[in-house]
Amino acid sequence: MTDAVWEWDETLYAGSASHYRVGRMPYPPSLAEAIGAALDLDGTGRLLDVGCGPGSVTLLLAPLFEAAVGVDADQDMLVEAQRRADEVGATNVEWRHLRAEALPADLGTFRVVTFAQSFHWMNRPLVVGRVRDMLTPDGAWVHVGANTHQGVTGDDRLPYPRPPWRQIDELVASYLGPVRRAGQGLLPTGTPSGEGEIMRTAGFTGPTRITVEQGMVVERTVDEIISAVYSLSSAAPHLFADRLPAFEADLRQLLTTAARGDRFAERRRDIDVAIWRP
């Protein structure tokens, strides 16, 4: 491994897909309502969700469109997405196994293209240029910025203890090292920023920003927090190799000691939405 130049590889979320349903807090219906109102969505047009993962945003927004397409580079994520689609009876969604860099992939044009916690993993100048050409003249690019594995930090009183996230991070580092892991590489300075400059250079205008406020307190179990950890690229199961059972035993002991009756509580984070126009 090297920390000189990080490059995407297919192990980025290896083993994480099945943990999303358990470990990630779902996007609220109010997110769909806010995006729908901002873009005057009326059930027509097509949605493209790039880096869709297990379809969390795709399936939330699909009822606002005639059809939706979710694309992801991780086949296991798409298996989970199809499972969720079957459960909710979503018949207007299809899934495609491909990297964003492979677009347009003969997918046609779209009224809205969404990126939810995914754009930073891509060759952003390349992807933004290709996706711009896939938008209809009245289309919109929507960035959904959220942190769904972890709640708000704070010292306000909650019905149960907060998960010990600092100690969890320290435990992960004790197994994987102090520098953030991602696939087969390292991210010493985290994921890249500068999204606005990239969008404007590609000819987009905006953004219009929306904040979907949540603030509600949710209860979470020890198993949910374990899955939340495994849902992260920096702690994906494959990274621990043959030390995975030992890590999970240590993690479970840490959480069981910190919980009260197997329960934690967290206050959900607000969701930031940025809408760009071509």
Side-chain angles (χ1 to χ4, degrees):
M1 292 183 299
T2 175
D3 59 2
V5 178
W6 182 83
E7 294 184 359
W8 179 90
D9 70 82
E10 63 183 8
T11 69
L12 182 60
Y13 281 99
S16 293
S18 63
H19 292 284
Y20 262 71
R21 176 191 297 267
V22 178
R24 296 289 181 117
M25 291 177 276
Y27 294 106
S30 55
L31 175 61
E33 294 167 2
I35 293 175
L39 299 179
D40 295 322
L41 300 179
D42 56 4
T44 63
R46 302 171 71 219
L47 166 71
L48 175 64
D49 188 17
V50 183
C52 66
S56 305
V57 166
T58 328
L59 294 172
L60 183 68
L61 299 182
L64 303 177
F65 296 87
E66 180 180 352
V69 179
V71 303
D72 201 275
D74 189 309
Q75 181 63 50
D76 289 342
M77 289 289 187
L78 298 180
V79 171
E80 288 294 318
Q82 185 60 58
R83 182 178 294 118
R84 291 186 181 193
D86 292 341
E87 289 176 355
V88 301
T91 58
N92 67 332
V93 183
E94 65 174 294
W95 312 102
R96 294 287 299 272
H97 181 211
L98 54 86
R99 293 188 65 194
E101 290 81 355
L103 293 170
D106 296 324
L107 292 179
T109 57
F110 296 86
R111 183 175 180 181
V112 174
V113 178
T114 51
F115 291 77
Q117 306 180 73
S118 62
F119 190 47
H120 53 271
W121 294 122
M122 303 168 188
N123 179 334
R124 297 180 298 167
L126 174 64
V127 171
V128 72
R130 293 188 175 182
V131 170
R132 188 177 188 275
D133 292 339
M134 298 174 71
L135 284 167
T136 58
D138 62 344
W141 172 308
V142 178
H143 280 293
V144 178
N147 185 331
T148 54
H149 83 281
Q150 178 181 354
V152 178
T153 58
D155 54 10
D156 54 314
R157 187 174 180 84
L158 298 179
Y160 291 95
R162 285 180 168 83
W165 286 109
R166 180 178 61 80
Q167 293 95 322
I168 292 170
D169 291 342
E170 290 172 352
L171 180 62
V172 171
S174 73
Y175 275 82
L176 301 182
V179 180
R180 177 177 172 179
R181 299 280 296 274
Q184 299 301 310
L186 299 170
L187 287 174
T189 59
T191 54
S193 56
E195 165 195 302
E197 180 180 353
I198 292 171
M199 298 298 291
R200 294 186 184 96
T201 298
F204 282 87
T205 60
T208 300
R209 296 194 180 275
I210 303 169
T211 298
V212 179
E213 296 182 355
Q214 298 195 87
M216 64 181 296
V217 174
V218 295
E219 295 180 12
R220 309 185 73 190
T221 66
V222 167
D223 284 339
E224 287 171 345
I225 301 303
I226 290 174
S227 279
V229 173
Y230 288 149
S231 76
L232 301 171
S233 61
S234 57
H238 76 95
L239 293 174
F240 299 92
D242 58 1
R243 302 183 73 194
L244 182 62
F247 169 75
E248 184 162 328
D250 287 345
L251 177 58
R252 186 173 295 277
Q253 180 175 352
L254 168 64
L255 294 175
T256 301
T257 301
R260 189 169 80 244
D262 192 54
R263 287 286 191 273
F264 295 103
E266 292 196 278
R267 191 175 300 280
R268 295 185 58 155
R269 295 173 181 263
D270 294 343
I271 299 172
D272 296 319
V273 179
I275 300 174
W276 296 85
R277 297 285 188 173

